[in-house]
Amino acid sequence: MTATGPSRDAALFLQLVLGLQQSAMISLGKLMNPITRKAEADLEAARATIDTLAAIEARTRGNLEPDEARVIHQVLAELRLNYVDELKKAGGAKPQPGGS
């Protein structure tokens, strides 16, 4: 197997998805921001990150291994639920990211 073989590509893809998940969780105020050392919400940034993941899911549909598709689907579901929860706490009424 080459250095850019399927298992390396899968690992890099999952690293990207999980990195975006962590970024969104920081923006949702669920994780501490490593720069400010505070948990602070930025719902616009969170929505942008969730929408980015949704676009990645849509653009890669049919080209992912079952485990990759499952992970991105689960990450999006978790982030969308947390986004709606934080939106309710903030008293907003914006639509759920991803449009579904």
Side-chain angles (χ1 to χ4, degrees):
M1 182 179 298
T2 64
T4 59
S7 63
R8 177 165 168 73
D9 287 348
L12 291 170
F13 179 78
L14 291 175
Q15 183 177 346
L16 172 67
V17 169
L18 297 176
L20 287 169
Q21 177 190 32
Q22 183 176 19
S23 176
M25 292 298 273
I26 290 169
S27 295
L28 288 168
K30 302 289 186 177
L31 295 175
M32 180 183 69
N33 182 321
I35 297 169
T36 64
R37 300 217 175 261
K38 296 178 185 174
E40 45 199 5
D42 180 349
L43 296 182
E44 288 301 317
R47 181 178 175 156
T49 305
I50 294 167
D51 288 346
T52 298
L53 273 166
I56 291 169
E57 180 189 40
R59 300 292 295 171
T60 59
R61 191 170 291 129
N63 292 310
L64 299 177
E65 295 296 323
D67 285 344
E68 294 168 320
R70 179 183 48 78
V71 168
I72 197 167
H73 180 75
Q74 287 177 341
V75 163
L76 275 168
E78 175 191 356
L79 289 175
R80 286 173 174 149
L81 288 173
N82 277 286
Y83 177 83
V84 170
D85 183 48
E86 289 303 312
L87 200 57
K88 286 178 184 174
K89 288 180 188 175
K94 295 179 186 172
Q96 180 177 349
S100 55

